[in-house]
Amino acid sequence: MKIGFIGLGVMGRPMAGHLIAGGHELFVHRVKPVSQHLVDAGANPVDSAREAAAAADVVILMVPDTPDVEAVLFGPDGVAEGIKSGSLVIDMSSISPVATKTFAARLAEKGVDYLDAPVSGGEVGAKNAALTIMVGGSEAAFERALPLFQLMGKNITRVGGVGDGQTAKVANQIIVGLTIEAVAEAMLFAKQAGADPAKVREALMGGFASSRILELHGERMVKRTFDPGFRIRLHRKDLALALDAARALEVALPNTAATAQLMNAALALGDGDKDHSALIRTLETMAGASAD
């Protein structure tokens, strides 16, 4: 396929690389030195999202937030100015389910199909083509996109109609955020009680508390390796989406709200661009505990 790929960040770069390796022709916007290897591998650089859309049959977005998606799609020189009827837009960003439905409706007026397909798995999953992909949209559009998803991920589920993929991703981020916070509390508790957090984590990995987050993020907390796989500021954005939706639905999400506040504190302490496992640093500061 001819694919316009917009969003060559930490996640987008390896995802685009897998599509090129799968034999697809990519048109990429905003190539920086860190993504030059994609051009070297055969991607075609273009000067705007409009040009990427005009050259492609499928446009994939992987950008940070709802306003970014709206700007890429409908801003000056955006996708909507260049896209052809019969094309498909796949938004793999994590954004508002409500805005997603609005974007899809606007593109449907141009005869363009739309899938929301946010991902989970972080940088490791993106590099290993092992992402979990949660998809909202029509069955026909999903079947059209499935060969592309299979190059980037392993657990691929059509959840339902447009917006349902984003709803699933918000639910995912609630679970991940609250579990990271729980692991951070446990590691802090162990340390302050005089136990070796590394040994405590090792013991817990063999019990009912075992999880991928205890395994991976618990190790980051023990080793103090907080280079971002997924930044705290982006996870805070996802929890804000959850709380905005909960307010509209009149649903209480008390622990989501508490974790979002801890992430606000992490940003205030200058940790917004660290990995979300660095939330333990915020708890350490609150406890007056020694940090790194």
Side-chain angles (χ1 to χ4, degrees):
M1 300 182 192
K2 292 184 176 181
I3 302 169
F5 199 106
I6 301 166
L8 302 177
V10 170
M11 299 286 288
R13 289 192 299 272
M15 293 165 68
H18 295 314
L19 294 172
I20 295 170
H24 299 286
E25 185 177 4
L26 263 63
F27 299 86
V28 293
H29 178 39
R30 293 180 180 167
V31 176
K32 298 178 181 178
V34 73
S35 49
Q36 179 61 39
H37 67 281
L38 296 171
V39 175
D40 297 340
N44 304 288
V46 296
D47 293 329
S48 67
R50 176 184 58 79
E51 289 185 35
D57 305 308
V58 176
V59 176
I60 296 176
L61 278 61
M62 189 61 178
V63 297
D65 203 350
T66 306
D68 302 300
V69 173
E70 184 171 20
V72 167
L73 289 177
F74 304 111
D77 271 337
V79 167
E81 292 185 4
I83 200 161
K84 305 178 292 289
S85 177
S87 298
L88 171 63
V89 168
I90 306 172
D91 179 25
M92 304 189 77
S93 320
S94 296
I95 69 166
S96 163
V98 175
T100 290
K101 293 178 183 181
T102 301
F103 298 160
R106 291 176 67 179
L107 288 171
E109 294 175 357
K110 295 178 172 290
V112 175
D113 281 333
Y114 193 101
L115 293 173
D116 51 296
V119 304
S120 180
E123 183 181 6
V124 172
K127 287 182 175 179
N128 294 331
L131 292 169
T132 291
I133 306 176
M134 299 155 264
V135 189
S138 72
E139 184 69 39
F142 176 74
E143 291 299 327
R144 180 179 177 184
L146 186 57
L148 304 180
F149 293 148
Q150 289 170 334
L151 291 172
M152 297 181 282
K154 294 190 180 299
N155 182 23
I156 304 160
T157 305
R158 178 178 172 264
V159 180
V162 168
D164 288 348
Q166 296 294 353
T167 296
K169 177 58 186 291
V170 170
N172 178 87
Q173 295 303 80
I174 291 171
I175 293 170
V176 172
L178 270 60
T179 307
I180 286 175
E181 196 278 337
V183 170
E185 284 195 15
M187 294 295 98
L188 173 62
F189 170 77
K191 179 180 178 181
Q192 293 301 96
D196 180 350
K199 289 295 185 181
V200 170
R201 173 184 165 276
E202 182 181 338
L204 297 179
M205 282 300 299
F208 202 56
S210 179
S211 70
R212 285 286 286 168
I213 288 173
L214 178 62
E215 178 187 357
L216 298 178
H217 293 303
E219 183 178 37
R220 283 176 174 263
M221 294 173 193
V222 168
K223 294 184 176 179
R224 316 301 289 184
T225 52
F226 298 130
D227 291 339
F230 190 71
R231 289 174 170 81
I232 289 176
R233 70 173 65 254
L234 292 178
H235 204 146
R236 183 189 67 157
K237 177 264 297 182
D238 291 341
L239 294 190
L241 292 175
L243 294 171
D244 287 345
R247 188 177 301 110
L249 295 168
E250 298 184 348
V251 172
L253 301 177
N255 291 322
T256 301
T259 301
Q261 288 296 334
L262 283 173
M263 290 182 178
N264 285 341
L267 265 68
L269 293 168
D271 283 351
D273 289 319
K274 288 184 168 60
D275 186 79
H276 45 182
S277 58
L279 198 61
I280 192 172
R281 287 166 49 95
T282 307
L283 292 168
E284 288 168 344
T285 299
M286 293 169 64
S290 59
D292 299 346

